[in-house]
Amino acid sequence: MNLASLDLNLVIALRALLEERNVTRAGQRVGLSQPAMSAALARLRRHFDDDLLARVGGRYELTALGMALRDRTGTACDLLERVFSSRAGFDPAREEHEFTLIASDYAIAVFGAELTRVVHAEAPGVRLHFRKPTADIVEHTGAVLSTSDGLLMPHGVIGGFPAVELFTDRWVFVVAEDNPEVGERLSAEDLSRLPWVTYQRTYDAPAVRQLSMLGVEPRVEVSADSFMALPFLIAGTRRIALIQGLLADRLRATAPIRVLAPPYEAVPLREALWWHPVHTHDAAHLWLREAVARVGAGVTSPPAR
């Protein structure tokens, strides 16, 4: 496909048409008259050799190709906006800018909070927007990174994109403070015997794979889309959970739990900021990466117990 032969304004029209499913509303959204938007739809239909929007009764429905293109055009438009908003220089003390970072509640708690303080002090016009990872983050990493400024995630889950190292953490187990079934030390038999609370998505893939290699198959009783919720789902029960040591240390004062070392040599967690190559030479993004590297260097892992 020769992009030089295409009118890239059609990408904007295509996104509006597929999201609005109405020619008039799509035209109003992008500032085109109804005849102009109808003409754009006709050009798009000829290009794709597909109706894209098919009339069903009194409304339009997306064709199969239209449904496939809807998410792609959204990603393409977001990426184009980021490309054309790039700049050669960036003065953090004077400029206004917003960075979008995809991060779990764990990453926000142990790293993001300090990052916000540094940004506030050095770049008062800069805003940070934290967004939760979606369920398809591993399968569609490129698309997700193209619509954000970075993804906070440990090594071993994704790869193939540039990254800056942040900090190292260690995995620990938590049980209720008054759990009579667990002594001062955990055993491999405890891990198989006790019911588990887990994070909904196994982003800690290396740790989970390690358990499987040791012959431990967690019997999951509760799952949650929040690392910070796990200790509270442990308290007052006989459940067990595997969480990050830095987070466990922060939550011990708020949840009646005990923090225990794994009964094996657990693989460490190495957190990083991943980004799309389109941002590599952008001045604002260069400043962001330098700031996160400085903050990450100040994050220290709790000592082994």
Side-chain angles (χ1 to χ4, degrees):
M1 177 62 65
N2 182 9
L3 288 178
S5 66
L6 295 178
D7 179 359
L8 293 182
N9 285 318
L10 287 175
V11 178
I12 309 299
L14 178 61
R15 181 183 190 180
L17 285 164
L18 297 180
E19 292 182 353
E20 297 293 340
R21 303 188 188 190
N22 181 283
V23 174
T24 302
R25 289 199 303 270
Q28 293 171 343
R29 173 170 163 176
V30 299
L32 293 177
S33 65
Q34 195 272 343
M37 184 56 80
S38 294
L41 176 58
R43 292 179 63 187
L44 289 164
R45 283 171 167 168
R46 287 194 299 272
H47 174 80
F48 288 107
D49 192 23
D50 187 271
D51 283 343
L52 302 177
L53 293 171
R55 185 175 288 280
V56 178
R59 66 183 190 281
Y60 281 108
E61 295 289 345
L62 299 183
T63 65
L65 179 59
M67 294 178 66
L69 290 173
R70 181 180 55 192
D71 293 337
R72 294 179 185 178
T73 53
T75 299
C77 288
D78 290 341
L79 184 55
L80 285 171
E81 288 177 3
R82 291 180 178 275
V83 167
F84 286 99
S85 65
S86 299
R87 58 192 73 184
F90 181 75
D91 183 355
R94 301 180 61 182
E95 298 197 43
E96 293 190 0
H97 195 84
E98 179 173 287
F99 293 106
T100 298
L101 299 176
I102 302 171
S104 67
D105 56 348
Y106 154 71
I108 295 172
V110 305
F111 173 81
E114 180 59 26
L115 178 63
T116 63
R117 288 187 279 270
V118 170
V119 169
H120 175 74
E122 299 180 8
V126 168
R127 300 177 304 279
L128 292 177
H129 175 214
F130 290 105
R131 204 170 75 204
K132 290 182 65 174
T134 57
D136 63 348
I137 187 73
V138 176
E139 294 82 6
H140 302 102
T141 307
V144 173
L145 287 179
S146 69
T147 60
S148 66
D149 292 288
L151 167 66
L152 295 169
M153 185 152 299
H155 285 276
V157 182
I158 64 171
F161 291 90
V164 58
E165 303 299 319
L166 298 181
F167 59 89
T168 300
D169 201 351
R170 59 191 297 271
W171 292 101
V172 297
F173 285 93
V174 294
V175 297
E177 192 174 54
D178 56 355
N179 189 336
E181 299 184 41
V182 179
E184 293 185 359
R185 295 190 179 189
L186 279 173
S187 67
E189 193 273 332
D190 289 332
L191 304 184
S192 298
R193 175 176 55 84
L194 297 171
W196 280 62
V197 179
T198 64
Y199 185 67
Q200 191 165 352
R201 289 283 296 185
T202 54
Y203 294 134
D204 52 330
V208 172
R209 286 198 299 267
Q210 187 177 14
L211 281 173
S212 179
M213 292 170 61
L214 293 171
V216 176
E217 296 294 335
R219 180 165 58 87
V220 179
E221 187 172 274
V222 180
S223 63
D225 194 14
S226 166
F227 283 114
M228 295 186 70
L230 300 188
F232 300 96
L233 296 171
I234 292 291
T237 75
R238 58 189 296 268
R239 301 176 189 134
I240 190 170
L242 179 68
I243 70 171
Q244 304 89 342
L246 285 168
L247 184 61
D249 272 15
R250 282 165 169 76
L251 295 177
R252 290 169 73 189
T254 57
I257 56 171
R258 282 188 287 150
V259 180
L260 300 170
Y264 55 89
E265 192 64 34
V267 61
L269 182 155
R270 294 171 50 229
E271 193 80 5
L273 172 74
W274 307 81
W275 72 88
H276 196 284
V278 71
H279 302 307
T280 297
H281 301 294
D282 177 66
H285 205 272
L286 284 167
W287 175 82
L288 173 68
R289 299 200 303 266
E290 188 275 332
V292 299
R294 274 191 288 119
V295 174
V299 176
T300 56
S301 179
R305 295 183 181 84

